[in-house]
Amino acid sequence: MERHVYNEDHEALRLVAREFVDRHVRPNEEQFIADKAIPREVWLEAGKQGLLGLQVPEEFGGAGVDDWRFSAVVTEELAGFSVALGSCWGINSDINAPYLVGLTNDEQKARWLPKYATGELWTAIGMTEPGGGSDLAALKTTAVRDGDDWILNGSKTFITNGYSADLVIVAARTDPSKGAKGISLFGVEAGMAGFSRGRKLDKVGQPESDTAELFFENVRVPNANLIGTENLGFIHMMKHLAQERIGSAVCNIALATSILKETIEYTKERKAFGAPIGTFQHNKFKLAELTAKVEVTQAFVDQAITAHAEHKLSAVDAAKAKLITASIQGEVLDACVQLFGGYGYMNEYRVARAWKDARVTRIWAGSEEIMKELIGRDLGL
Ligand SMILES: Cc1cc2nc3c(=O)[nH]c(=O)nc-3n(C[C@H](O)[C@H](O)[C@H](O)COP(=O)(O)OP(=O)(O)OC[C@H]3O[C@@H](n4cnc5c(N)ncnc54)[C@H](O)[C@@H]3O)c2cc1C
């Protein structure tokens, strides 16, 4: 089905993102996987291509666009190639942007944004803790005021870009008596005494993305690194989770679309019993059904992209998009592995990697149960 969400400016940026993937990622992907890292040079190149600072004001070196469709189109190209690429870029350049652009004061903007737009300052966001991620309001990391500083203690886990980040946005409890209303956000910088990182976590998929545990032991964070308003951190996070979830939905459907397309081509070439496997009715019907599901889902996601670009996307609609795309993606990738037969189980095939990489999309950025909880609450239940 023809899509109408993007205009020629968005499509022009799509070509820049596609060329970036083709020239700087695709040829080196095997190496990134072997090294368990996407090197900084790749992100510096993305910065040169203008792919990192889309939401950063022009005066700080970004594109300064107030149209989320530009982020969406880049997401489609990066996540359409791999979940790891889409998520590392997504955390740094999309999810963290509203915090670093929208919640920072002038001094912080001048300090962080120019390098954020080039990739010299790489970022992560630390909400989840070993004790739990779904119930964010229960987080245990603390920040206690001491003169002009805060003393941070606690730990975070599963943090994307956590190993390589120069700046981590950390959620910490600043008023234990106030529950969700006693949480604040801090910019914790690499090299601060007491801030350390654990090993790179050994994941089922996405070996090339760096996912880490972070530890804070009496880290002295200056009040100048408080991001947003003291004790409003939870409200800030809730406000921005809709962008995280629509971003995740865009990733999910982009990868499903890309792998489905590749699989359809494969089933035209691969023969069994003297005929292309795609022509067997079972496989043809399966591919027809998945194509219909993907296209119908894409139509909903496109509506959500447009709504978000107009600052009208509700948290519940973002949750619906995230929930359904993760589920359809899982269904598509599982069927595609099956259609590739034994090759579908070989790591050298994109379809196999995508299947492993994408399992987490039903867990991260709010699990599917939490999405259902949000949607259910909206039904008055
Ligand atoms: C690869 C990866 C990258 C990640 N990147 C980041 C990152 O960059 N920053 C960050 O802060 N976090 C990140 N996360 C963490 C992720 O967001 C959490 O894993 C997720 O929110 C779930 O939290 P949890 O793992 O603590 O599970 P839990 O909260 O312990 O949940 C366990 C199970 O219980 C279910 N459950 C919980 N509450 C309910 C309920 N009320 N009703 C029904 N079921 C419920 C959940 O759905 C889940 O199935 C990442 C995770 C992974 C795996």
Side-chain angles (χ1 to χ4, degrees):
M1 192 179 191
E2 201 177 333
R3 299 176 65 197
H4 297 288
V5 64
Y6 300 122
N7 65 31
E8 59 198 24
D9 293 335
H10 305 115
E11 293 300 341
L13 185 64
R14 180 194 295 288
L15 295 182
V16 174
R18 189 171 293 171
E19 193 177 327
F20 161 73
V21 172
D22 286 343
R23 290 184 58 183
H24 302 283
V25 183
R26 197 183 297 276
N28 304 315
E29 176 68 352
E30 297 299 332
Q31 195 58 49
F32 299 166
I33 288 171
D35 295 347
K36 293 190 174 13
I38 301 172
R40 181 64 65 93
E41 299 80 67
V42 171
W43 298 123
L44 292 172
E45 185 57 39
K48 277 190 205 146
Q49 304 296 326
L51 298 173
L52 299 186
L54 297 170
Q55 297 167 51
V56 173
E58 282 176 280
E59 59 183 304
F60 299 111
V65 289
D66 181 22
D67 175 352
W68 194 74
R69 290 176 297 173
F70 286 102
S71 286
V73 87
V74 174
T75 303
E76 286 181 8
E77 290 304 311
L78 273 51
F81 178 73
S82 84
V83 182
L85 189 69
S87 68
C88 291
W89 177 86
I91 290 280
N92 178 70
S93 299
D94 190 44
I95 291 169
N96 287 350
Y99 295 90
L100 295 175
V101 174
L103 293 176
T104 44
N105 58 36
D106 290 346
E107 183 277 324
Q108 291 170 331
K109 283 185 175 55
R111 188 152 47 106
W112 289 329
L113 294 185
K115 289 188 173 176
Y116 175 60
T118 60
E120 289 163 276
L121 185 93
W122 194 243
T123 66
I125 185 159
M127 303 185 209
T128 306
E129 302 188 347
S134 301
D135 185 6
L136 260 186
L139 62 82
K140 293 193 168 53
T141 296
T142 56
V144 177
R145 189 76 194 238
D146 182 33
D148 285 342
D149 301 328
W150 293 85
I151 307 299
L152 200 63
N153 277 290
S155 63
K156 300 286 172 182
T157 194
F158 308 140
I159 306 306
T160 304
N161 296 336
Y163 205 75
S164 55
D166 306 296
L167 177 73
V168 185
I169 302 168
V170 175
R173 186 163 297 291
T174 35
D175 188 340
S177 69
K178 286 196 187 151
K181 292 185 182 146
I183 290 170
S184 307
L185 303 174
F186 296 91
V188 176
E189 291 165 294
M192 283 182 166
F195 170 33
S196 62
R197 311 169 205 236
R199 65 202 159 90
K200 274 188 204 168
L201 296 171
D202 181 16
K203 305 188 293 298
V204 167
Q206 305 179 46
E208 71 276 46
S209 84
D210 89 63
T211 311
E213 296 171 288
L214 307 178
F215 302 101
F216 311 101
E217 210 182 321
N218 292 320
V219 183
R220 188 168 280 279
V221 182
N223 190 49
N225 283 23
L226 174 73
I227 296 175
T229 307
E230 184 180 332
N231 289 333
L232 289 192
F234 186 77
I235 313 266
H236 294 324
M237 290 189 283
M238 289 303 114
K239 183 169 173 222
H240 296 316
L241 279 174
Q243 177 154 312
E244 179 166 351
R245 287 171 186 157
I246 179 61
S248 184
V250 171
C251 286
N252 296 342
I253 204 69
L255 186 70
T257 302
S258 148
I259 297 290
L260 183 58
K261 197 170 153 214
E262 238 177 75
T263 305
I264 292 169
E265 289 314 308
Y266 181 78
T267 64
K268 289 178 184 169
E269 302 292 328
R270 178 77 175 173
K271 289 196 175 136
F273 300 97
I277 58 167
T279 60
F280 300 136
Q281 191 185 52
H282 173 81
N283 297 340
K284 180 164 55 181
F285 278 19
K286 176 53 84 182
L287 289 165
E289 186 189 325
L290 294 176
T291 300
K293 283 187 181 178
V294 163
E295 290 192 18
V296 168
T297 307
Q298 183 72 67
F300 183 85
V301 171
D302 284 353
Q303 287 273 47
I305 292 172
T306 305
H308 191 49
E310 293 169 356
H311 307 288
K312 289 181 191 156
L313 181 66
S314 71
V316 174
D317 285 344
K320 289 175 189 165
K322 201 259 167 189
L323 173 71
I324 295 302
T325 54
S327 160
I328 299 263
Q329 175 184 235
E331 190 184 341
V332 166
L333 297 178
D334 195 68
C336 291
V337 165
Q338 191 71 17
L339 284 160
F340 267 81
Y343 296 107
Y345 200 61
M346 296 297 121
N347 275 325
E348 66 195 273
Y349 278 74
R350 272 189 81 219
V351 63
R353 297 209 295 260
W355 177 67
K356 287 193 299 182
D357 290 352
R359 179 59 181 85
V360 73
T361 64
R362 286 163 55 199
I363 299 170
W364 69 13
S367 68
E368 61 185 0
E369 292 76 21
I370 296 301
M371 297 304 98
K372 287 179 189 173
E373 183 60 36
L374 293 174
I375 299 163
R377 256 186 247 160
D378 188 58
L379 299 175
L381 298 168

